[in-house]
Amino acid sequence: MTTKLSALQRWVDEVAARTQPETIHWCTGSDDEYQQLVDLMVEDGTLSPLNQETYPNCYLHLSDPTDVARVEHLTYVCTEEPDDAGPNNNWMSPADGHARVDALFDGAMQGRTMYVIPYCMGPITSPYSRCGVEITDSPYVVVNMKLMTRMGSAALERIERDGKFVRGLHSTGDLDPERRFIMHFPDELYIKSIGSGYGGNALLGKKCHALRIASWQARSEGWMAEHMLIMGIENPEGETHYIACAFPSACGKTNLAMLIPPHSMPGWKIHTLGDDIAWLHFDDDGCLRAINPESGYFGVVPGTNEETNKNAYDMITRDTIFTNVARTEDNEPWWEGKADGKPAYDWRGQPYDPSQGKAAHPNSRFTVAATNNPSYSELADAPEGVPISAIVFGGRRKRLAPLVYEARDWKHGVLVGASAGSETTAAAIGEVGVIRRDPMAMKPFCGYNFGDYWRHWLSLEERSDKLPKIFHVNWFRQDDDGNFLWPGFGENLRVLKWIIDRCEDRVGARETPIGYLPEPDDIDTAELDISAETMRVLSSVDLDRWRIENAHFATYLDSFGERVPQELRDEHERVASELDKAS
Ligand code: GTP
Ligand code: SPV
Ligand code: MN
């Protein structure tokens, strides 16, 4: 196959000339193609079939042990001006960036097949969707892209119609971390990634395109590309509200997006639109609408069980690719937090030995099509997306943030998002559990200077008088022994109910310097084993800690210098003086 779009054909020819593959395969996205690639990988050991009786169509991939997460220190945004990438990104000039990786791509696909994957981020017919083409030498990437995006012939037809697409060039390379780079060239809508076969480093439609490049495009085109789940919450009266929640990596998006309502909330239903990325656009009435550019999940496996996330637990019993989990003697996948079975082999494929660490890698993942999710929304393919009532920020804060609070207004909400911080997780290489600033959960994903990004957020206020309300949640408060204070998971719906009641003006709130908090009795705790004292702690504001936090944030803002919008500084000053007054 080839294409009638000469710009695409020329690029494929040019890449082939540089990388010298043995053959070129244009992906159609058919089920047969998927199965053929799976069979090929089973043959060469890239995948192993799991127990086909209990886990039909499920396969295990064990990645190179040095290649198990995103590599933020090797991820670059290449702009002419360093300030356009900002202190939140690693920077290289476009000329240096290309030179650096092109040398590594020379002959990189010798003896291998080069796959050309046309894909569409978002429903094929949506005006909000954007397309891309990933060229890769990894069949593992192809099958993951098939599960997670609308890829193949239909996408190619749209690309040929649009004439415009994001280019993503990927090679697994030799997996040497010294020769691993994830480079973005936003002005050229070009991504070049080499030396990793893992998740966000290699599935270029996801973080590289749908967040870093898309956030850059979104700013100039007047929309937003965000690290947010999208879910619909239907109450017993049949009324559905949609919310979009930005939590950092491994902080609960997938779990929240498909939660099962607690027993004490009969008649409530959840509709999952997306679990990781939202593209937000204004419609003609000034209503902010969201589409999920993806159509599958690359989710954290550890912790998934029938109690925490039954929808996910069920959907990954078939048609799933597991990466870096352990295996039982019966060849079933196993991970920490799975209630039944025990590990016989760890994520490196070695006989399990508890002294060698966890059986499944903490960042082990499942890849599965969203259609496997019992709560997948009927509107997931709606070209116009869904209207958003609330935007919710969150993160892992052991001590500081209350269970939930509401921003006073849009401007304050932008400050709440910008000042969010969270403990680091295993989703990226590096130390785990240290607090870092993670504005809007976009620290690793914003493709341009955060100062400009906050300005873009603030500017939305001029465009609509129907903006969503903004909230902040924290499921991760701990006591002195490290136990979570809040039960989390399905029980989080109790908090979402308060959020929706606030959007509909159905419940009051208590004003504090950090925003509006629920009265302790306003979060329903029926059938929960939680004391009034714990609820009091979860809904109180520790003014001393908040003043320290606020001072830290001031220093952080300063690191962005003149790019920080004055409006944001003023808002920060306002909160600082409220905190001083209240102390
Ligand atoms: P990425 O895919 O990396 O963007 O992560 P995510 O934000 O989708 O996080 P996910 O839902 O996969 O959750 C990550 C980890 O947090 C899992 O081990 C979950 O079991 C755990 N988790 C999720 N929600 C909760 C919660 O409400 N409370 C507690 N205590 N843990 C949770
Ligand atoms: C994340 O780290 O936020 C993920 C996984 O969703 S990855 O696709 O590897 O970025
Ligand atoms: Mn994510």
Side-chain angles (χ1 to χ4, degrees), residues 94 149 211 400 479 565:
T149 69
L211 288 177
L400 184 75
D479 65 15

Side-chain angles (χ1 to χ4, degrees), residues 6 11 17 58 70 75 86 94 126 155 188 194 238 244 272 297 338 430 441 456 460 469 535 562 564:
S6 55
W11 177 54
C58 291
R70 284 182 291 102
T75 300
S126 173
E188 302 164 58
I194 191 157
T272 315
Y297 312 119
K338 193 181 192 198
H456 183 47
L460 301 188
K469 283 193 179 237
M535 284 311 289
E562 286 179 359
V564 178

Side-chain angles (χ1 to χ4, degrees), residues 390-433:
I391 287 175
V392 184
F393 296 113
R396 289 179 184 260
R397 295 305 297 256
K398 276 194 204 35
R399 294 280 177 267
L400 184 75
L403 183 59
V404 58
Y405 60 100
E406 178 192 337
R408 293 160 54 105
D409 52 25
W410 184 259
K411 199 176 298 170
H412 182 221
V414 174
L415 176 74
V416 167
S419 58
S422 190
E423 291 145 31
T424 51
T425 65
I429 297 291
E431 203 182 338
V432 169

Side-chain angles (χ1 to χ4, degrees), residues 266-327:
W268 288 77
K269 287 194 197 112
I270 296 305
H271 304 278
T272 315
L273 275 294
D275 80 326
D276 199 48
I277 301 178
W279 284 359
L280 305 166
H281 289 78
F282 285 114
D283 66 14
D284 294 340
D285 300 326
C287 168
L288 199 61
R289 306 189 72 95
I291 61 163
N292 172 15
E294 303 186 280
S295 58
Y297 312 119
F298 185 61
V300 174
V301 182
T304 308
N305 61 50
E306 288 192 283
E307 301 292 313
T308 56
N309 189 353
K310 180 165 173 16
N311 279 330
Y313 190 76
D314 289 348
M315 79 181 168
I316 61 178
T317 55
R318 58 197 164 92
D319 322 316
T320 301
I321 296 175
F322 289 89
T323 299
N324 295 340
V325 297
R327 260 185 315 137

Side-chain angles (χ1 to χ4, degrees), residues 15 105 162 190 196 221 316 370 394 396 427 463:
V15 168
F105 275 107
D162 289 357
Y190 205 153
S196 167
E221 297 171 5
I316 61 178
R396 289 179 184 260
R463 310 233 336 250

Side-chain angles (χ1 to χ4, degrees), residues 119-388:
Y119 63 85
C120 180
M121 299 312 285
I124 294 271
T125 58
S126 173
Y128 302 146
S129 300
R130 294 285 186 280
C131 293
V133 178
E134 175 164 358
I135 297 181
T136 179
D137 55 7
S138 162
Y140 170 81
V141 166
V142 180
V143 294
N144 275 271
M145 288 289 283
K146 154 86 173 161
L147 295 174
M148 292 175 57
T149 69
R150 295 148 176 105
M151 70 86 135
S153 307
L156 182 59
E157 277 166 33
R158 175 162 171 166
I159 291 167
E160 289 174 340
R161 255 193 337 266
D162 289 357
K164 193 172 170 183
F165 59 96
V166 170
R167 291 178 288 176
L169 172 56
H170 169 257
S171 169
T172 310
D174 60 9
L175 294 177
D176 181 341
E178 296 292 314
R179 285 190 288 278
R180 182 177 293 164
F181 289 103
I182 325 295
M183 298 274 190
H184 303 74
F185 305 90
D187 275 326
E188 302 164 58
L189 306 183
Y190 205 153
I191 304 152
K192 292 183 177 177
S193 163
I194 191 157
S196 167
Y198 194 86
N201 302 330
L203 311 174
L204 302 186
K206 196 173 175 62
K207 297 302 167 55
C208 299
H209 175 167
L211 288 177
R212 296 195 193 93
I213 298 287
S215 62
W216 175 283
Q217 281 183 298
R219 178 183 44 159
S220 62
E221 297 171 5
W223 51 284
M224 312 215 285
E226 300 296 328
H227 192 204
M228 292 175 176
L229 68 88
I230 312 164
M231 70 194 288
I233 302 156
E234 185 180 335
N235 67 18
E237 290 74 48
E239 186 189 34
T240 304
H241 288 85
Y242 296 92
I243 66 171
C245 309
F247 311 156
S249 302
C251 290
K253 290 183 299 303
T254 303
N255 279 265
L256 194 70
M258 54 190 72
L259 73 79
I260 295 199
H263 286 128
S264 67
M265 294 179 78
W268 288 77
K269 287 194 197 112
I270 296 305
H271 304 278
T272 315
L273 275 294
D275 80 326
D276 199 48
I277 301 178
W279 284 359
L280 305 166
H281 289 78
F282 285 114
D283 66 14
D284 294 340
D285 300 326
C287 168
L288 199 61
R289 306 189 72 95
I291 61 163
N292 172 15
E294 303 186 280
S295 58
Y297 312 119
F298 185 61
V300 174
V301 182
T304 308
N305 61 50
E306 288 192 283
E307 301 292 313
T308 56
N309 189 353
K310 180 165 173 16
N311 279 330
Y313 190 76
D314 289 348
M315 79 181 168
I316 61 178
T317 55
R318 58 197 164 92
D319 322 316
T320 301
I321 296 175
F322 289 89
T323 299
N324 295 340
V325 297
R327 260 185 315 137
T328 66
E329 208 57 75
D330 294 338
N331 202 24
E332 291 185 348
W334 193 90
W335 53 86
E336 277 69 18
K338 193 181 192 198
D340 52 336
K342 46 181 213 293
Y345 302 94
D346 69 12
W347 66 273
R348 297 175 202 83
Q350 300 300 316
Y352 175 58
D353 170 358
S355 72
Q356 298 298 302
K358 304 221 187 245
H361 190 277
N363 192 38
S364 52
R365 297 265 169 175
F366 56 76
T367 318
V368 67
T371 45
N372 265 33
N373 173 7
S375 68
Y376 195 42
S377 168
E378 282 171 11
L379 291 180
D381 274 315
E384 70 284 4
V386 293
I388 296 298

